[in-house]
Amino acid sequence: MKTITIHTEFIKLQDLLKFASLVATGGEAKERIQAGEVTVNGEVCPMRGKKIRPGDDVVFRGEHYTVSHADP
């Protein structure tokens, strides 16, 4: 499992894919999410604006990612 560190309360799913360099563009993130290629906490999530919070498990292309807060 890979950890993505953010400085905010949450990150939107499409922004997580871009921030982690898993996709090249927002358009690609939208396509991948709407095609059902991303799961959040074990369920396919077609909502690209889904709020991902620390502890959530996101799976994309067989890799698990989780979000953590940056130390203040």
Side-chain angles (χ1 to χ4, degrees):
M1 179 176 294
K2 298 180 181 177
T3 302
I4 310 298
T5 303
I6 61 172
H7 299 276
T8 57
E9 179 183 346
F10 63 85
I11 186 169
K12 292 181 182 178
L13 181 56
Q14 69 179 12
D15 296 334
L16 174 69
L17 296 182
K18 289 188 305 185
F19 182 72
S21 300
L22 303 176
V23 296
T25 65
E28 182 182 356
K30 176 182 174 182
E31 289 175 11
R32 302 288 180 231
I33 293 165
Q34 291 180 339
E37 297 179 27
V38 182
T39 64
V40 177
N41 297 326
E43 296 183 16
V44 173
C45 182
M47 302 178 304
R48 65 182 200 251
K50 169 82 173 160
K51 294 178 181 176
I52 305 301
R53 299 179 188 280
D56 285 343
D57 179 43
V58 176
V59 179
F60 180 64
R61 295 183 177 161
E63 290 284 339
H64 288 258
Y65 300 89
T66 189
V67 171
S68 70
H69 280 130
D71 293 330

